[in-house]
Amino acid sequence: MKKGFVFDLDGVITDTAKFHYLAWKDLADEIGIEIDLKFNEQLKGISRMDSLERILAYGNKSDAFTTEQKEALAEKKNTHYVELLQDLTPDDLLPGVQEFLNDAKAQNVPCAIASASKNAPFILEKLGVQDAFDAIVDPATLTKGKPDPEIFVRAAEAINITPAEAVGFEDAQAGLDGIKAAGMYAVGVYSGEELHGADLIVHHLTDISVAELLQK
Ligand code: GL1
Ligand code: MG
C-alpha cells in the first residue's frame, strides 16, 4: 500500500521542459555549440550548472571558460528561461494534473515536489498549485543530483513516509533511475522518448487514478 506521491516538475506537472530546451539551445548557439532534441534528453532532470557542463563537454569546450564566465552563462540561460515563464497560467498544467492533485488532497494523500529546478516554487505559484504540495525539496541543499536517489529520499522524508510507501512520477531517465534507486514505485510520464525501468508508463495523469496507485 502506498501513502504519498513524489513528483518531478518539468515535464510532469507542466511542459516547461520545452522552455528549458529553448533557453539552453539559444545559449549553446551563442557559444558555437549546436545541440538538438536528442542531446537535450541527457539534460532532463540535471541541475543548471551540471547541464551547462554537459553542453560544454559536448562541444569540446569544457576548458574554454573560467568559473565566473560559466556562472554568467548559466545566469543568462536562467534570465531567458524566466522570461519564457512569464505567461504561464493554470491552463498550462498538463492533462489530468489538477484533477489528480485535487483527488490526492480529498483523500489526505501527501504530495511532494522533487525537482532539480530552482524555479520550482515560482512555477507552482504561476500554475496556481502551490497549496497542492506539502513539501518542495530545495535542490540547493542536495549533495548529489539525479540519478542519485537523494532528492527522492528527501521528498519522502518531508511528507513523513518511507520511500517504499511512495509513488514517484518522472518524465526523464535520470529521474526514473533515481526513483528506482530510492526504492519507490516508479511511474514514467512518456514524453516521446523511450523510458526504461518504470513500473508503469502513462501518457498523462488522466490515465491513472489516486485510488489505483495507492493499491500498488
Ligand atoms: C535546472 C536546469 C534545467 C532542468 C531543471 C530540472 O533548472 O537548468 O535545464 O534540467 O533543472 O528539470 P533551473 O535552472 O530552473 O534550476
Ligand atoms: Mg522532468
Side-chain angles (χ1 to χ4, degrees):
M1 286 292 284
K2 302 300 176 194
K3 295 185 176 164
F5 299 128
V6 173
F7 297 88
D8 172 46
L9 173 69
D10 297 314
V12 170
I13 301 294
T14 184
D15 194 14
T16 33
K18 69 182 177 206
F19 295 142
H20 280 300
Y21 174 60
L22 275 176
W24 281 127
K25 188 167 176 47
D26 242 44
L27 186 89
D29 275 352
E30 216 176 284
I31 54 178
I33 300 173
E34 198 180 322
I35 63 169
D36 57 14
L37 278 168
K38 188 166 184 297
F39 172 77
N40 186 59
E41 284 304 306
Q42 295 177 39
L43 301 182
K44 287 190 177 173
I46 307 302
S47 75
R48 199 178 301 165
M49 279 317 275
D50 288 348
S51 296
L52 176 63
E53 290 293 355
R54 285 191 189 201
I55 292 168
L56 295 177
Y58 182 69
N60 290 315
K61 294 198 171 169
S62 292
D63 301 323
F65 301 95
T66 64
T67 305
E68 290 72 29
Q69 286 171 324
K70 286 180 189 175
E71 275 160 11
L73 289 171
E75 182 59 34
K76 189 163 194 181
K77 178 266 175 179
N78 191 54
T79 303
H80 183 189
Y81 176 63
V82 171
E83 270 166 32
L84 297 171
L85 296 178
Q86 293 311 314
D87 296 333
L88 273 190
T89 72
D91 287 342
D92 293 300
L93 286 166
L94 282 167
V97 171
Q98 185 76 69
E99 295 76 4
F100 192 93
L101 293 173
N102 289 347
D103 223 22
K105 179 76 76 197
Q107 298 184 47
N108 287 316
V109 182
C111 295
I113 289 283
S115 168
S117 174
K118 294 182 173 165
N119 292 295
F122 172 65
I123 292 171
L124 294 175
E125 200 191 312
K126 282 274 197 192
L127 296 170
V129 290
Q130 68 274 47
D131 295 340
F133 297 97
D134 303 280
I136 302 171
V137 178
D138 178 358
T141 63
L142 299 171
T143 58
K144 287 185 185 152
K146 299 171 186 179
D148 190 274
E150 184 181 14
I151 191 168
F152 297 105
V153 172
R154 290 269 307 280
E157 254 170 38
I159 52 173
N160 301 310
I161 62 174
T162 65
E165 293 170 331
V167 174
F169 297 79
E170 261 289 352
D171 68 315
Q173 191 60 50
L176 268 184
D177 293 345
I179 288 175
K180 288 315 294 173
M184 295 180 177
Y185 183 88
V187 178
V189 180
Y190 181 78
S191 63
E193 286 298 319
E194 228 179 287
L195 293 171
H196 303 280
D199 295 298
L200 179 72
I201 300 267
V202 299
H203 281 83
H204 297 297
L205 292 198
T206 43
D207 299 348
I208 25 147
S209 70
V210 168
E212 199 182 318
L213 284 175
L214 294 179
Q215 301 299 319
K216 298 291 182 188

